[in-house]
Amino acid sequence: MQDLPSDRDALQALLDFHVEAGVDLALDETPHNRFAEPKAERSPARAPAAGSAPKASAAPSAPSPRALPKAAASAPEEVAIMAREQARHAQSLEELEAILAGFDGCALKFSAKNLAFADGNPEGRVMLVGEAPGADEDRIGKPFMGRSGQLLDRMLATIGLDRTQVYVANIVPWRPPGNRTPTPQEIAICKPFIARQIELASPEILLCLGGPAAQNLLGLKDGILRTRGRWYSYKTEDGREMKALPTLHPAYLLRQPLQKRLGWRDFQALRRALDGRE
Ligand code: URA
């Protein structure tokens, strides 16, 4: 392992460097030198085939406190099928949240502090879906609690809405380490849950915040700058159709403030639709 500087300022500077680089999460209690491990230990862990006895490891080591349960280490397609079956069982949003909290198929659960299932009013006419929780959402256990959430609240306020009138969720309900983008596999595993959440909340209008939400929920191939501001239709598994509007993600608007005018236009379109004028 790299030698650590001994003085406080240098140590702080090193820590700041890691946080800036997105390394803000320790995944294990102790550092591992993966290059020094025997080959067998380095190959990815695979769940043993059903019924087969687990093989003894070439070099046994103490179990990691963060070892993933079997479900999270299974093939993503199998886990997505499991997720679909479990999500379908939920008859209410409370049940869905409890099922998701007990679901071990997504590895993100084991690096996250909390499940950030939803915020706002599930009876609201509008449901907003973002990408994934960040550090603030992970700490609090609710979507859109940090700076993006504050901007979102200001944008909602411009059209006379607040969180008592809208329901908010994410396509992935656990924070990806270091706020990285969720992988296609993580999204595929979590998708049955957000699909069921939309079905159970059954809003009139679905607002997709950012490209990943628009692409994964509406099946759009184009990027968000092409699809934003246009109306699409979202169909639930039980056959209900609702209006869906992709718009720019508030985190993007914080980085690109000049684009706020486009976000503003989309929110105006949402207001008109709620008033039956679009
Ligand atoms: N970004 C998201 O997409 N969702 C959140 O909950 C917070 C930030």
Side-chain angles (χ1 to χ4, degrees):
M1 204 187 91
Q2 172 189 357
D3 287 336
L4 290 176
S6 54
D7 75 283
R8 202 173 182 286
D9 289 348
L11 209 51
Q12 184 65 53
L14 182 62
L15 190 61
D16 291 345
F17 167 79
H18 280 114
V19 171
E20 283 283 299
V23 186
D24 58 355
L25 193 78
L27 290 177
D28 212 338
E29 305 279 310
T30 50
H32 298 277
N33 182 352
R34 299 288 178 204
F35 295 103
E37 283 172 359
K39 211 172 172 205
E41 251 192 85
R42 266 189 272 139
S43 54
R46 285 194 60 82
S52 69
K55 292 196 179 67
S57 153
S61 60
S64 156
R66 286 291 197 167
L68 294 181
K70 191 172 151 195
S74 306
E77 311 79 56
E78 284 171 32
V79 185
I81 292 170
M82 249 164 57
R84 202 150 171 260
E85 277 166 13
Q86 296 199 15
R88 259 211 312 245
H89 268 102
Q91 297 306 314
S92 67
L93 289 165
E94 293 74 21
E95 260 181 57
L96 185 67
E97 183 172 6
I99 290 172
L100 198 47
F103 178 73
D104 283 348
C106 180
L108 293 178
K109 174 180 179 180
F110 302 95
S111 54
K113 288 192 178 74
N114 281 301
L115 168 71
F117 180 69
D119 191 35
N121 181 356
E123 315 259 287
R125 295 173 67 193
V126 187
M127 177 167 176
L128 291 76
V129 182
E131 184 178 334
D136 293 310
E137 293 75 21
D138 185 38
R139 187 171 43 77
I140 298 167
K142 286 182 179 180
F144 286 99
M145 291 285 121
R147 285 183 67 221
S148 298
Q150 287 156 18
L151 176 58
L152 183 63
D153 287 344
R154 289 201 296 277
M155 293 168 76
L156 287 169
T158 64
I159 56 165
L161 295 177
D162 62 30
R163 293 207 196 189
T164 64
Q165 293 153 298
V166 301
Y167 186 53
V168 188
N170 282 308
I171 45 174
V172 167
W174 292 286
R175 181 194 184 204
N179 292 349
R180 64 162 170 75
T181 305
T183 64
Q185 284 86 352
E186 287 158 356
I187 293 177
I189 289 166
C190 295
K191 199 171 154 189
F193 292 105
I194 184 65
R196 185 70 180 139
Q197 197 171 353
I198 297 169
E199 195 166 63
L200 289 166
S202 195
E204 267 171 55
I205 296 175
L206 184 65
L207 193 69
C208 299
L209 300 169
Q215 288 171 343
N216 288 288
L217 294 176
L218 305 177
L220 304 175
K221 297 274 171 287
D222 284 333
I224 191 68
L225 286 169
R226 276 185 181 274
T227 58
R228 60 142 285 277
R230 300 188 194 176
W231 288 101
Y232 296 85
S233 176
Y234 178 86
K235 210 169 178 181
T236 60
E237 231 177 66
D238 63 7
R240 219 182 82 71
E241 270 189 62
M242 61 192 72
K243 291 176 94 172
L245 183 67
T247 189
L248 301 170
H249 193 288
Y252 171 79
L253 297 179
L254 287 170
R255 292 193 304 272
Q256 303 282 337
L258 282 181
Q259 301 286 52
K260 281 185 188 164
R261 65 205 158 90
L262 299 179
W264 161 255
R265 271 189 220 158
D266 299 346
F267 273 62
Q268 292 298 312
L270 171 62
R271 182 71 263 173
R272 286 195 299 277
L274 285 169
D275 295 344
R277 291 185 283 123
E278 177 137 338

